[in-house]
Amino acid sequence: MPNQQYPGWARIDLSALSHNAKRLHDAAPNAEHMGIIKAAAYGHGATEIARTLVDAGYQWLGIAQVEEALTIRRALDRSGYSSERVGIFSWILPPGNTDVIREAIEAGIELSVSSVADVLTIAALALPARIHLKVDTGMSRAGARPEDFPALVAAALQAQGRGIETVGIWSHLARADEPGEESIAATHRQIEIFETACALAYERGLTGVKRHLAATSGQLWYPQTHFDLVRDGIGLYGLSPNPERATTRELDLRPVMTLAAHLTMVKHLPAGTPVSYGGTWTAPNDTWVGLVPLGYGDGIPRHASNAAPVTVYTSTGQLTATIVGRVCMDQFVINLGAHPHAPARAGDTAVLFGNPDRVDTRDCPSADDWADACGTINYEIVTRIGARVPRLYEG
Ligand SMILES: *Cc1c(COP(=O)(O)O)cnc(C)c1O
């Protein structure tokens, strides 16, 4: 299928991305949307994803690390997607590295501030800058605690005279994806703290700022969190923020990434043969196994050992297998089952996870199946797929 040297690849379905963007716009029709492309767009490749989102009408992109935001800003500028067309917001400032902060401000990137010290660092650069004040409403990650927020507002007002424009007030929800009364109550508390902080900033004179609180889960499940702007993350990539609350299918989202490889070998093992390092799996009967040329060096979790499913597409049909033995750095083994003849051949395509509703990957495992098998979340499964795996863009 793919035309390249590496035996594994991640297909990135850009038409699925556009479909998901539309779904999120339907869920939050009255807010502006920011496409979140942190960590190489959750492993999908930031530049391609950024261009597709801008083409689909996104005027905002969000990236956690300032360094990455600068790289994307430059890539977008080079391909004609100017700052006027798409703004970039970034929220992790490297402490003490004023060079990168200066470069970001010069490039027009809007930055988050969590403390008076952050405001002073930016003001000391004596450049016109746009900032978003972050209030910690209950995540206890970044942001000023509610009791410290009035001081942050005061610092922002003072900095206005030095060309620092406050354009946003924002926060992040910790439990908006979870079912259950306790999570709902916690989310309502966060919303209330956010509203109080916004009202205070407004009273003190910060009017005309964009308020933003919701990521995908807030958009889908808490309409009162939409405010002026929403931040579209995992939903864009076609995955549910929490499949226990609603599955990808129920949300009408389409997985964007399909991770696949060509089998490098198929062979027969007699009953009792151990497989891979430590012999943690032994063939219980005569069986066929296949060798998949991707490993933890590609971001395949070692926790997938003896657990995760893989679908193999052969010349005559398809079969679902399970990883047996430990995942190695560059490869792993799958159990193809007992058959009188080899059920697959070297060169056949093995799909680790993808979109089970697409014709060419019908009934393949999903990133959620992998997350369950590995004791993690779909976000981590796609995001960790390493840079050496080629991304093949389609659609
Ligand atoms: C990652 C992230 C998002 C997007 O979250 P999803 O759950 O993927 O939609 C939004 N805002 C911030 C601050 C984030 O770090």
Side-chain angles (χ1 to χ4, degrees), residues 141-157:
R141 198 168 66 175
R145 293 267 317 151
E147 58 271 26
D148 298 326
F149 191 68
L152 182 60
V153 170
L157 283 165

Side-chain angles (χ1 to χ4, degrees), residues 36 38 42 91 134 141 170 172 214-217 231-235 241 379:
I36 301 298
K38 64 190 181 205
Y42 295 45
W91 60 90
K134 183 156 201 191
R141 198 168 66 175
W170 76 298
H172 192 51
T216 303
S217 51
R231 303 187 301 268
D232 304 358
I234 197 74
Y379 293 70

Side-chain angles (χ1 to χ4, degrees), residues 33-236:
H33 287 249
M34 176 184 283
I36 301 298
I37 56 168
K38 64 190 181 205
Y42 295 45
H44 295 66
T47 308
E48 284 291 338
I49 298 295
R51 287 202 201 106
T52 306
L53 292 177
V54 178
D55 288 341
Y58 278 76
Q59 293 172 344
W60 294 101
L61 296 171
I63 307 172
Q65 305 285 356
V66 172
E67 177 83 43
E68 286 185 308
L70 261 173
T71 305
I72 290 302
R73 177 76 274 164
R74 288 175 183 146
L76 287 174
D77 287 343
R78 274 197 302 277
S79 38
Y81 296 78
S82 65
S83 296
E84 287 73 53
R85 206 166 147 203
V86 55
I88 295 184
F89 172 59
S90 183
W91 60 90
I92 301 183
L93 311 187
N97 188 345
T98 47
D99 286 347
V100 71
I101 297 173
R102 175 184 289 112
E103 280 182 65
I105 291 171
E106 284 172 347
I109 293 168
E110 301 187 0
L111 298 174
S112 172
V113 293
S114 288
S115 66
V116 173
D118 287 346
V119 177
L120 295 178
T121 300
I122 290 173
L125 297 171
L127 291 166
R130 285 189 297 275
I131 58 172
H132 296 233
L133 311 188
K134 183 156 201 191
V135 53
D136 174 7
T137 55
M139 175 96 174
S140 304
R141 198 168 66 175
R145 293 267 317 151
E147 58 271 26
D148 298 326
F149 191 68
L152 182 60
V153 170
L157 283 165
Q158 268 198 340
Q160 265 183 344
R162 299 161 75 181
I164 313 296
E165 193 187 349
T166 297
V167 295
I169 296 181
W170 76 298
S171 191
H172 192 51
L173 298 169
R175 307 184 65 175
D177 63 307
E178 298 174 352
E181 270 172 42
E182 201 189 302
S183 310
I184 293 168
T187 303
H188 285 153
R189 272 198 301 282
Q190 284 200 259
I191 297 168
E192 206 179 294
I193 294 169
F194 185 67
E195 284 176 335
T196 305
C198 291
L200 177 129
Y202 193 90
E203 272 166 31
R204 305 269 162 104
L206 291 179
T207 52
V209 298
K210 277 193 215 310
R211 299 160 301 163
H212 51 114
L213 179 61
T216 303
S217 51
Q219 284 178 62
L220 294 173
W221 299 315
Y222 293 90
Q224 69 273 43
T225 63
H226 294 175
F227 295 99
D228 304 308
L229 175 76
V230 291
R231 303 187 301 268
D232 304 358
I234 197 74
L236 275 180

Side-chain angles (χ1 to χ4, degrees), residues 36 38-44 141 172-178 214-218 220-221 231-243 248 251 253 257 299 301 353 366-372 375-385:
I36 301 298
K38 64 190 181 205
Y42 295 45
H44 295 66
R141 198 168 66 175
H172 192 51
L173 298 169
R175 307 184 65 175
D177 63 307
E178 298 174 352
T216 303
S217 51
L220 294 173
W221 299 315
R231 303 187 301 268
D232 304 358
I234 197 74
L236 275 180
Y237 305 100
L239 300 172
S240 169
N242 185 346
T248 289
L251 295 170
L253 296 170
M257 183 190 290
F353 56 82
S366 65
D368 288 315
D369 295 328
W370 270 67
D372 285 346
T376 184
I377 53 174
N378 55 28
Y379 293 70
E380 190 179 356
I381 295 295
V382 291
T383 303
R384 286 180 70 132
I385 298 310

